[in-house]
């Protein structure tokens, strides 16, 4: 078991912070908080995510992950603190932020009276693409989803819908893609396919990924950096490789995850 | 294309693909045609009754005291006003509710708001799309009216009657959109969608059915079928002399009726179509002058509705987190 003193030393420590110039951060938030009366959904969150990273935001249900994403995607206004996404202020420059982000909420269902193509066309036009036809086919090809184009959303399986969800999120070529619990409801094959898509988006299109999840396995197989949120507070932040080195005595990453949270609660 | 137009186009397509609204639209058009046919048969029976009475009087060497029934085609549209009052309000409520309920249930609002568009774009776009649908629906009703007139005996309208029909079309669109904006507001404002729908239908019940009915029930002239004053043989000055003694009562009754948006719509519709016979002899401008308050009332409610919808979507936090 790791001593609490040493845990505290490594908690909230971002090794890349000093090595990286300010402009290379796609997400840069300082003391961000969201309160509902006396309850703090997110508390004093300071976090940087570098360009090109796949950032896994871990935490149990109710930890404040979705609230954080809602603030970063400008859907919710923070109670205090400040933040920049893609170089723009999330409070004062929300429209500029939205031009540069892609977002896939958890369990989104789309407009089921429309086909997949029509859904993509609608969101592409709202993203400022005047004639989106070529982009739609390009994105569908990238996601190997061309055959879904003329199908009504209501006729698609969860896995197929999730691909269309990612297609709408990347059609305008965002700098960063926010995924909120993207594997929810997918079968193991669907999870594997989604994981491959995320890795390809990052490596081939250079999109930074910010992924909320409560599944540690997803983080270890996909992410380059992990942050752990517990009761609205960031209790751990480091690269995956450093985490593996620091916790080399642990039996598995699941032990590490539980260890981090247990130490924080003590 | 402008964001609001993109949203409006999508909303419009969405409604046209909905089986519920196709069914309601067909129902409204069928009722319109049926009510005109029924009114026409009633008018024809009045004419034949008059002609047989006339023949009887002439056979005994007497002249009739009443003039022959005169056909004012727009008089046949009372049923249309009634149907739009009731069904149009329901359509407005359902459109407003569904435009928000679907976004809430599917979480697509989050997708919309992650785009570089404002909540104002979303609200105005939705209102524009539904306004277009309601306009086409009411224009279809107007087309059925004209087609029915032609079908039942080649009735053609005068230019003034076309103007009256055009004004009625505009008022009907406003009337339905008032209920749309109300339902939209409540669907955003209420945490529970079923609560929003329940409140909407309570409002519909009170303002479309109960209040106008109270006003009608309190109307002294409605106490006897065919009209109290007519059955008593009172002329207009005599009727006014009697009513002058009940001015407080009549003012109260009028205020109760005026609480209902439906009554404002009905009063203008009945005046334009000459359902109240006194308006048949009036010029269009005179009718509009007399009914300006009812028209402005409808228009004002619609404008208030738009501002309220924009405001509530800006203010609401629950909508995002739901």
């Amino acid at each position: 078991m790791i001593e609490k003193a040493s845990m505290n030393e490594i908690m909230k420590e971002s090794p890349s912070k000093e090595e990286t110039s300010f402009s290379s951060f796609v997400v840069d938030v300082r003391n961000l908080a969201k309160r509902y009366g006396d309850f703090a959904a997110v508390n004093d969150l300071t976090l940087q995510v570098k360009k090109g990273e796949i950032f896994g935001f871990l935490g149990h249900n109710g930890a404040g992950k979705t609230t954080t994403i809602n603030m970063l995607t400008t859907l919710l206004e923070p109670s205090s603190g400040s933040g920049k996404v893609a170089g723009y202020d999330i409070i004062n420059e929300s429209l500029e932020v939205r031009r540069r982000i892609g977002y896939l909420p958890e369990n989104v269902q789309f407009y089921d009276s429309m086909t997949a193509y029509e859904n993509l066309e609608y969101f592409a036009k709202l993203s400022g693409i005047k004639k989106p036809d070529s982009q739609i086919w390009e994105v569908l090809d990238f996601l190997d989803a061309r055959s879904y184009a003329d199908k009504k959303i209501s006729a698609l399986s969860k896995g197929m819908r999730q691909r269309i969800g990612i297609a709408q999120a990347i059609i305008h070529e965002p700098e960063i893609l926010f995924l909120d619990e993207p594997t929810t409801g997918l079968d193991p094959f669907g999870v594997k396919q989604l994981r491959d898509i995320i890795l390809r988006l990052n490596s081939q299109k250079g999109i930074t990924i910010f992924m909320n999840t409560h599944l540690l396995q997803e983080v270890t197989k996909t992410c380059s950096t992990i942050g752990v949120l517990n009761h609205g507070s960031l209790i751990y932040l480091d690269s995956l490789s450093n985490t593996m080195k620091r916790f080399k005595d642990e039996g598995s990453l699941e032990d590490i995850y539980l260890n981090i949270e247990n130490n924080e609660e003590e | 294309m402008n964001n609001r137009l993109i949203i409006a186009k999508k909303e419009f397509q969405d409604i046209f693909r909905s089986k519920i609204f196709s069914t309601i639209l067909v129902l409204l058009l069928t009722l319109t045609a049926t009510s005109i046919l029924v009114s026409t048969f009633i008018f024809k029976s009045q004419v034949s009754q008059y002609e047989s009475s006339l023949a009887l009087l002439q056979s005994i060497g007497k002249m009739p005291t009443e003039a022959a029934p005169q056909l004012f085609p727009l008089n046949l549209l009372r049923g249309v006003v009634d149907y739009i009052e009731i069904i149009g309000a329901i359509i407005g409520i359902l459109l407003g509710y569904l435009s928000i309920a679907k976004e809430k249930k599917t979480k697509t609002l989050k997708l919309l708001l992650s785009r570089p568009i404002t909540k104002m774009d979303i609200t105005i776009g939705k209102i524009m799309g539904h306004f277009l649908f309601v306009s086409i629906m009411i224009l279809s009703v107007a087309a059925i009216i004209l087609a029915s007139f032609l079908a039942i005996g080649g009735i053609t309208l005068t230019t003034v009657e076309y103007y009256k029909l055009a004004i009625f079309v505009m008022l009907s669109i406003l009337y339905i959109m008032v209920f749309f904006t109300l339902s939209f507001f409540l669907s955003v404002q209420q945490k529970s969608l079923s609560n929003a729908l329940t409140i909407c239908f309570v409002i519909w019940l009170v303002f479309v059915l109960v209040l106008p009915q109270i006003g009608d029930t309190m109307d002294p002239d409605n106490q006897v079928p065919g009209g109290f004053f007519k059955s008593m043989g009172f002329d207009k000055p005599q009727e006014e002399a009697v009513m002058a003694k009940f001015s407080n009562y009549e003012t109260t009754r009028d205020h109760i009726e005026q609480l209902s948006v439906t009554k404002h719509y009905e009063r203008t519709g009945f005046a334009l179509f000459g359902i109240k016979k006194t308006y048949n002899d009036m010029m269009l401008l005179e009718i509009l002058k007399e009914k300006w308050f009812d028209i402005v009332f409808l228009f004002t409610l619609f404008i208030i509705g738009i501002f309220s919808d924009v405001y509530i979507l800006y203010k609401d936090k629950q909508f995002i987190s739901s």
Side-chain angles (χ1 to χ4, degrees):
Chain A
M1 182 69 76
I2 296 166
E3 293 297 320
K4 188 169 183 186
S6 61
M7 276 301 304
N8 287 338
E9 281 168 23
I10 58 169
M11 278 177 190
K12 298 188 184 179
E13 184 186 328
S14 174
S16 56
K17 206 187 297 182
E18 285 156 16
E19 301 160 10
T20 316
S21 68
F22 182 82
S23 60
S24 66
F25 292 133
V26 186
V27 174
D28 183 7
V29 296
R30 315 273 168 160
N31 308 109
L32 205 65
K34 183 67 192 176
R35 285 181 288 275
Y36 298 97
D38 294 334
F39 173 71
V42 174
N43 189 28
D44 204 23
L45 177 68
T46 296
L47 171 71
Q48 287 84 33
V49 176
K50 279 191 294 180
K51 200 175 276 182
E53 272 189 299
I54 302 180
F55 181 78
F57 207 30
L58 267 170
H60 295 307
N61 293 334
K65 302 188 299 294
T66 298
T67 305
T68 303
I69 275 204
N70 282 344
M71 287 192 283
L72 296 179
T73 52
T74 76
L75 293 173
L76 268 184
E77 200 169 306
S79 305
S80 61
S82 62
K84 285 188 172 186
V85 170
Y88 290 91
D89 190 287
I90 57 173
I91 301 165
N92 301 317
E93 297 169 302
S94 59
L95 289 183
E96 291 304 323
V97 171
R98 290 181 202 173
R99 279 184 228 284
R100 290 161 180 83
I101 64 167
Y103 174 42
L104 179 62
E106 185 183 8
N107 287 328
V108 68
Q109 290 168 36
F110 303 100
Y111 300 107
D112 57 8
S113 66
M114 293 157 65
T115 64
Y117 182 94
E118 287 169 333
N119 269 281
L120 293 177
E121 186 182 38
Y122 181 54
F123 288 113
K125 283 184 175 173
L126 290 177
S127 299
I129 304 170
K130 287 182 180 166
K131 290 180 179 171
D133 186 65
S134 60
Q135 279 100 323
I136 292 172
W137 291 117
E138 189 190 319
V139 166
L140 286 173
D141 284 339
F142 181 83
L143 297 169
D144 196 20
R146 181 176 269 263
S147 59
Y148 308 160
D150 294 328
K151 288 186 177 164
K152 288 260 176 79
I153 288 289
S154 53
L156 298 180
S157 69
K158 170 78 184 175
M160 293 171 181
R161 274 209 303 272
Q162 204 66 334
R163 283 187 192 217
I164 301 303
I166 291 182
Q168 65 76 30
I170 62 169
I171 197 153
H172 53 297
E173 298 177 348
E175 289 181 37
I176 179 166
L177 174 60
F178 290 94
L179 303 170
D180 194 359
E181 305 281 4
T183 55
T184 304
L186 294 180
D187 60 24
F189 185 63
V191 171
K192 164 80 171 65
Q193 285 184 321
L194 185 72
R195 194 184 300 142
D196 293 343
I197 288 170
I198 291 170
L199 291 169
R200 283 200 299 128
L201 282 171
N202 182 253
S203 61
Q204 293 176 23
K205 288 190 176 283
I207 298 175
T208 307
I209 312 280
F210 187 110
M211 184 170 80
N212 271 0
T213 182
H214 60 272
L215 301 174
L216 185 70
Q217 199 185 15
E218 284 321 303
V219 173
T220 59
K221 289 185 176 168
T222 320
C223 300
S224 51
T225 309
I226 63 170
V228 180
L229 198 66
N230 189 28
H231 299 305
S233 298
L234 185 70
I235 59 167
Y236 184 81
L237 177 68
D238 208 341
S239 69
L240 187 70
S241 56
N242 280 351
T243 305
M244 300 293 275
K245 280 181 211 160
R246 281 179 169 147
F247 295 91
K248 58 188 172 190
D249 294 337
E250 299 301 316
S252 69
L253 272 169
E254 190 169 6
D255 294 334
I256 297 171
Y257 180 33
L258 296 172
N259 219 340
I260 290 168
E261 293 218 327
N262 287 339
N263 273 281
E264 177 66 17
E265 277 163 18
E266 280 169 28
Chain B
M1 204 193 295
N2 179 295
N3 287 332
R4 292 173 191 180
L5 289 178
I6 295 168
I7 294 170
K9 186 183 164 199
K10 180 253 159 197
E11 292 292 315
F12 181 74
Q13 283 176 343
D14 226 15
I15 312 162
F16 256 92
R17 288 176 183 180
S18 157
K19 284 179 186 164
I20 301 174
F21 287 106
S22 309
T23 311
I24 292 176
L25 181 58
V26 170
L27 176 73
L28 188 62
L29 296 179
T30 310
L31 285 173
T32 301
T34 311
S35 80
I36 294 170
L37 288 175
V38 169
S39 302
T40 309
F41 286 126
I42 292 171
F43 179 77
K44 279 185 176 171
S45 86
Q46 284 173 347
V47 171
S48 64
Q49 202 177 355
Y50 178 84
E51 282 170 350
S52 61
S53 301
L54 181 66
L56 183 68
L57 285 170
Q58 283 173 341
S59 68
I60 57 172
K62 290 192 173 178
M63 291 301 290
T65 52
E66 281 194 27
Q70 196 182 348
L71 176 65
F72 293 98
L74 297 183
N75 288 178
L76 306 175
L77 301 179
R78 180 185 180 128
V80 178
V81 179
D82 288 339
Y83 289 135
I84 293 178
E85 265 178 33
I86 296 168
I87 298 174
I90 292 175
I91 291 173
I93 287 171
L94 286 177
L95 286 172
Y97 168 79
L98 287 174
S99 73
I100 293 301
K102 280 197 279 187
E103 302 276 9
K104 275 190 174 182
K105 281 179 182 167
T106 57
K107 297 190 178 180
T108 39
L109 189 81
K110 282 189 169 186
L111 292 182
L112 285 181
L113 287 174
S114 67
R115 261 57 207 188
I117 60 173
T118 62
K119 287 183 176 178
M120 170 87 97
D121 288 335
I122 295 172
T123 313
I124 299 296
K126 279 180 178 288
I127 291 173
M128 282 165 60
H130 287 86
F131 189 92
L132 184 62
F133 172 77
V134 170
S135 302
I136 288 176
M137 184 178 77
I138 296 299
L139 284 170
S140 306
V141 169
I144 289 285
I145 289 170
L146 296 176
S148 302
F149 281 160
L150 282 175
I152 58 177
I155 300 170
T156 50
L157 301 183
T158 63
T159 309
V160 174
E161 285 170 331
Y162 273 115
Y163 287 148
K164 286 180 177 177
L165 194 59
I167 294 168
F168 174 73
V169 164
M170 285 188 274
L171 290 176
S172 300
I173 296 167
L174 281 181
Y175 173 72
I176 294 171
M177 289 306 292
V178 166
F179 283 94
F180 171 87
T181 54
L182 171 75
S183 175
F184 184 104
F185 179 90
L186 287 168
S187 301
V188 176
Q189 191 257 343
Q190 287 289 311
K191 198 173 176 181
S192 153
L193 282 169
S194 53
N195 277 357
L197 199 57
T198 307
I199 295 171
C200 280
F201 277 104
V202 169
I203 290 173
W204 175 81
L205 195 69
V206 172
F207 287 87
V208 177
L209 296 183
V210 177
L211 287 177
Q213 196 56 48
I214 290 174
D216 283 345
T217 308
M218 287 173 70
D219 189 346
D221 202 31
N222 286 345
Q223 303 309 310
V224 175
F228 172 76
F229 295 110
K230 194 178 175 186
S231 65
M232 294 293 288
F234 285 12
D235 58 17
K236 195 71 184 169
Q238 285 174 311
E239 180 185 330
E240 284 170 359
V242 171
M243 288 312 294
K245 296 184 188 300
F246 297 96
S247 60
N248 285 341
Y249 174 85
E250 188 57 15
T251 306
T252 308
R253 189 186 73 82
D254 183 52
H255 285 170
I256 289 172
E257 281 197 347
Q258 291 208 29
L259 287 173
S260 163
V261 59
T262 303
K263 208 64 193 179
H264 289 280
Y265 169 72
E266 183 187 282
R267 283 178 177 185
T268 316
F270 280 8
L272 286 169
F273 292 161
I275 311 293
K276 284 213 163 187
K277 302 294 177 196
T278 48
Y279 292 102
N280 280 326
D281 302 322
M282 285 172 73
M283 304 279 285
L284 177 57
L285 278 177
E286 287 177 306
I287 295 172
L288 294 178
K289 206 172 161 184
E290 194 172 313
K291 292 295 164 196
W292 73 268
F293 178 74
D294 297 302
I295 296 168
V296 170
F297 189 89
L298 273 173
F299 189 74
T300 308
L301 274 187
F302 178 50
I303 298 296
I304 290 172
I306 294 174
F307 278 104
S308 305
D309 290 350
V310 170
Y311 169 77
I312 197 71
L313 200 55
Y314 260 100
K315 192 174 175 290
D316 193 83
K317 302 279 190 293
Q318 202 67 46
F319 203 10
I320 298 299
S321 53
S322 62

